[in-house]
Amino acid sequence: MSIETSVVIPAYRSANILPMLVQKLQEALDGMYPDAGSERYQVILVNDCSPDDTWARIEELSRDRPWLKGINLRKNAGQHNSLLTGLRYARGQYVIMMDDDLQHDPADIPKIVASLKAGNDVCYAKFKSKRHAMWKRLGSRFNSMIADRLLRKPKELYLSPFKGVVRGVRDQMVRFVGPHVYLDGLILASTNRVTMIELDHHERLDGQSGYSLGKSISLWLKMATSFSIEPLRIASLLGIFFSGFGFLSAVA
């Protein structure tokens, strides 16, 4: 029996919350496949070189759960690189990406899968309200504005980290080779059949977010330089302007 649904989750400083996360994932996925059970799904946890006991906890949890796989990165690669690594091992027809802190509810996975089965290539979660710090909410809005311009993203589309893609889009994404990956750029370059569903965003139950302001800025720069020629055009125009200004100054 082939795997229908894969769930890929980057894990960082989440040793304490992983048991609850795995339990909720199993409840949600068993509910999707009451007859076939775990033969129809897989969960891939990617340890992003976490400094705590995250990898030891993944090893422990996966020992008696054949549907749960762990990948241990030798160095911290960031959320998007970690997800791309996990996507390479995802075998399902529908692939879900989500965070490890239970702000994304595993019980909502069937809703995303249902949207993909309805004919959409990609389904993003749009949250009714977000449980994030103010700077992070403002940063998310800024990221959306930049993506509107550079990625030709539809203005109403929210690029959520909780999302699902069909196998064909996943296959296009894993072909990317390079150090600076931006997953939403890969997704939007692969298809126009993108939709959203409204879901609840929950309180973080343990630990702190691994995303700092610096990491968020780095992600915006990756988006700008890797998936758009706009920065190159701006640099070229500035070069022409200063060259002309220098020539006129020399003549004067």
Side-chain angles (χ1 to χ4, degrees):
M1 190 173 294
S2 62
I3 291 175
E4 183 175 83
T5 301
S6 297
V7 183
V8 181
I9 305 174
Y12 187 78
R13 293 185 183 274
S14 53
N16 293 334
I17 203 171
L18 281 177
M20 185 183 299
L21 172 64
V22 168
Q23 178 185 343
K24 288 184 174 294
L25 284 166
Q26 186 168 11
E27 290 172 357
L29 294 166
D30 279 346
M32 288 177 64
Y33 306 105
D35 297 325
S38 61
E39 294 182 7
R40 298 287 279 162
Y41 64 82
Q42 66 173 166
V43 175
I44 301 168
L45 294 173
V46 184
N47 176 43
D48 193 13
C49 197
S50 181
D52 64 358
D53 295 328
T54 292
W55 177 242
R57 192 57 55 85
I58 291 174
E59 287 186 305
E60 174 189 333
L61 291 167
S62 60
R63 195 167 293 128
D64 58 351
R65 295 176 174 87
W67 51 270
L68 179 62
K69 306 297 182 184
I71 299 172
N72 191 27
L73 301 185
R74 292 182 180 272
K75 63 180 294 184
N76 183 262
Q79 183 185 38
H80 287 239
N81 278 304
S82 299
L83 279 168
L84 188 60
T85 300
L87 288 174
R88 292 193 168 100
Y89 291 87
R91 296 186 286 139
Q93 294 302 310
Y94 309 104
V95 183
I96 307 297
M97 290 164 270
M98 60 189 298
D99 290 345
D100 61 350
D101 54 13
L102 285 175
Q103 287 189 295
H104 303 160
D105 191 348
D108 290 326
I109 290 175
K111 301 174 185 177
I112 296 178
V113 172
S115 178
L116 298 175
K117 287 184 175 181
N120 300 300
D121 285 342
V122 184
C123 179
Y124 283 95
K126 180 181 180 181
F127 301 119
K128 300 171 185 177
S129 62
K130 288 186 283 184
R131 310 285 183 170
H132 283 154
M134 178 60 71
W135 73 265
K136 203 166 185 179
R137 293 199 298 270
L138 292 175
S140 179
R141 291 182 185 178
F142 176 76
N143 179 72
S144 183
M145 290 171 56
I146 296 298
D148 289 346
R149 171 67 178 175
L150 300 183
L151 304 182
R152 303 294 188 265
K153 178 185 76 68
K155 290 187 176 181
E156 69 279 1
L157 180 64
Y158 171 63
L159 300 179
S160 166
F162 191 13
K163 51 185 169 275
V165 300
V166 297
R167 178 64 183 241
V169 173
R170 171 264 178 202
D171 291 345
Q172 290 293 318
M173 295 170 71
V174 299
R175 292 173 61 187
F176 178 84
V177 178
H180 305 303
V181 60
Y182 181 68
L183 291 182
D184 296 305
L186 297 177
I187 288 172
L188 294 177
S190 300
T191 183
N192 290 325
R193 295 205 294 267
V194 182
T195 190
M196 295 184 301
I197 59 174
E198 194 171 77
L199 300 173
D200 290 319
H201 195 244
H202 302 273
E203 292 283 356
R204 186 183 182 95
L205 296 184
D206 184 74
Q208 296 179 343
S209 172
Y211 256 104
S212 63
L213 180 58
K215 288 184 178 180
S216 295
I217 292 173
S218 174
L219 186 62
W220 300 332
L221 291 175
K222 288 176 185 177
M223 172 175 59
T225 57
S226 300
F227 293 92
S228 173
I229 62 172
E230 292 289 338
L232 181 60
R233 287 175 176 169
I234 293 172
S236 298
L237 290 173
L238 287 174
I240 293 171
F241 171 78
F242 283 113
S243 296
F245 180 77
F247 175 76
L248 293 175
S249 298
V251 171

